Amino acid sequence: MKPTCPGNPLDRYASRREFLHVGLVGGLGLTLPQFLRQQARGDQKFYETREGVAKGIIHIFLPGGMAHQESFDPKPYAPAEYRGPFGAIDTKIPGVQFGENLKELATLADKMTVIRSMSHGEAAHERGTHNMFTGYRPSPALEYPSYGSVISHELGPMNNLPPYVCVPTVPNEFAGSGYLSSAFGPFALGSDPAQGNFQVRDLNLPGGCDEFRFNRRRSLLETVDAHFRGLEKSDAIDAMDAFYQHAYKLISSEKAREAFNLKAEPDALKEEYGRNDAGQRMLLARRLIEAGTRFVSLTVGGWDHHDNIKGNIEGQLPKVDKAIAALIRDLERRGMLDSTLVMVTTEFGRTPKINPTGGRDHWPNVFSVMMAGGGFKQGYVHGSSDALGGGVDTDGITVADLSTTIYNQIGINADKELMAPGGRPIEIVADGNVLDALLAKKA
């Protein structure tokens, strides 16, 4: 036996294996990695989720990058090659103009906050989309959860409805649950509400299956699931169980099923929204929020207008303008606007100068977003771009600040840390601040 020095404390640790299993750490019987993981959890920043001003959020995302110059931030006094093919129209806010294709929203500008000074510096579609769905720049080391998944995680379901719904489908890979369990992922319709035969997939009982048979099948399935859960335990199994539970609640609850029933809406209201993809998606979003869904994400059109921006804007923006305006009016009539946040975002802006093919290219240096309801100011324009629409001139806003403010309005402190794989606590949003300048003063 190798001699040792008397009293040497290292003698107590005969091997690396024994060192790693030092249940001596407080006598807890933990391996060192387990102990450090528990310690990390103990240091995790935690805040109770509270009831926010906004009870639900409708995120209208315009993929591809909508031009701010042709929408919320026209430049009527710039040279023609910067001004673009359209004029500007007055709004309900004195001295503020929108692009001429936002005629309906111009009459409702006194109900909204328009931010003209957003920027994030990411000119690639994927990176810009990631920013606007998660509040983070992309990272090769971590997959961040989307707004909807965080809200699902923090607030959970209400009235048996999925807390997070995508209309008509999951729009991109960044709209998912990221490092959170897939149980907090979105419920996607799988069908477009604008279609005449619109029906949410898997929402109704199978043909020939009555309530008795349905409940018997559920009991059998639970028995089988319990057996397999005893054999294997993983996030996928847990998530599947959660999805089964949500599915059963949806199918068995008439009220939950009814939330997806657009046929219940009067024809006049469908006409007000517009009988097209924009109008019917937004009408369904209102039904879902009214029934208890926390977060609805919907997309409309494609806005990557490198060519012929005139024809593309004329073909898409008027119907989107009509639909968003109808949504705001409908929410206000129902007394829901104050408690529902409608936000219109896009990937980035477009170049200040029209290119040789009559379009505008990617431009993340400045762009516009719009917010209505949910405790945001009414009749307010925040920040400005420069005279040619090429950069932030005053009161710039980061994606982190906007994201933190959005979470704040639904009752989530974005400084809270959630646990990522490997026991890493990650802030819901890093380095963001609540932008009080955007928010209505509390009575």
Side-chain angles (χ1 to χ4, degrees), residues 345-359:
T345 74
T346 191
E347 291 165 28
F348 36 57
R350 312 299 295 189
T351 48
K353 190 175 183 179
I354 297 289
N355 66 28
T357 57

Side-chain angles (χ1 to χ4, degrees), residues 332-353:
E332 186 171 43
R333 284 194 299 262
R334 294 167 185 272
M336 293 173 59
L337 185 58
D338 289 343
S339 62
T340 305
L341 173 56
V342 177
M343 60 180 191
V344 181
T345 74
T346 191
E347 291 165 28
F348 36 57
R350 312 299 295 189
T351 48
K353 190 175 183 179

Side-chain angles (χ1 to χ4, degrees), residues 31-67:
T31 67
L32 185 59
Q34 288 172 331
F35 170 72
L36 295 175
R37 191 173 295 120
Q38 293 283 17
Q39 189 178 53
R41 289 195 181 100
D43 294 338
Q44 186 179 356
K45 286 187 289 186
F46 179 81
Y47 304 89
E48 289 287 351
T49 297
R50 55 185 169 77
E51 183 176 349
V53 175
K55 306 299 183 284
I57 297 176
I58 299 173
H59 181 200
I60 301 166
F61 184 71
L62 306 179
M66 185 179 70

Side-chain angles (χ1 to χ4, degrees), residues 249-270:
K249 287 176 181 177
L250 267 175
I251 294 171
S252 61
S253 168
E254 183 178 351
K255 183 177 180 181
R257 293 199 305 269
E258 184 64 18
F260 295 89
N261 181 20
L262 271 182
K263 293 179 181 178
E265 295 292 345
D267 287 342
L269 189 60
K270 292 178 182 177

Side-chain angles (χ1 to χ4, degrees), residues 163-232:
Y164 174 25
V165 177
C166 285
V167 179
T169 58
V170 179
N172 55 68
E173 61 187 302
F174 312 118
S177 56
Y179 60 73
L180 296 176
S181 165
S182 53
F184 303 107
F187 176 85
L189 302 186
S191 180
D192 194 330
Q195 296 172 349
N197 60 347
F198 168 66
Q199 186 175 3
V200 181
R201 64 183 179 191
D202 304 327
L203 195 57
N204 298 310
L205 292 175
C209 183
D210 58 20
E211 294 289 340
F212 174 77
R213 292 184 65 194
F214 172 72
N215 289 325
R216 190 161 67 100
R217 288 182 183 182
R218 177 178 184 175
S219 178
L220 288 170
L221 182 59
E222 287 174 344
T223 301
V224 174
D225 282 349
H227 170 73
F228 281 103
R229 274 197 301 271
L231 300 178
E232 180 179 0

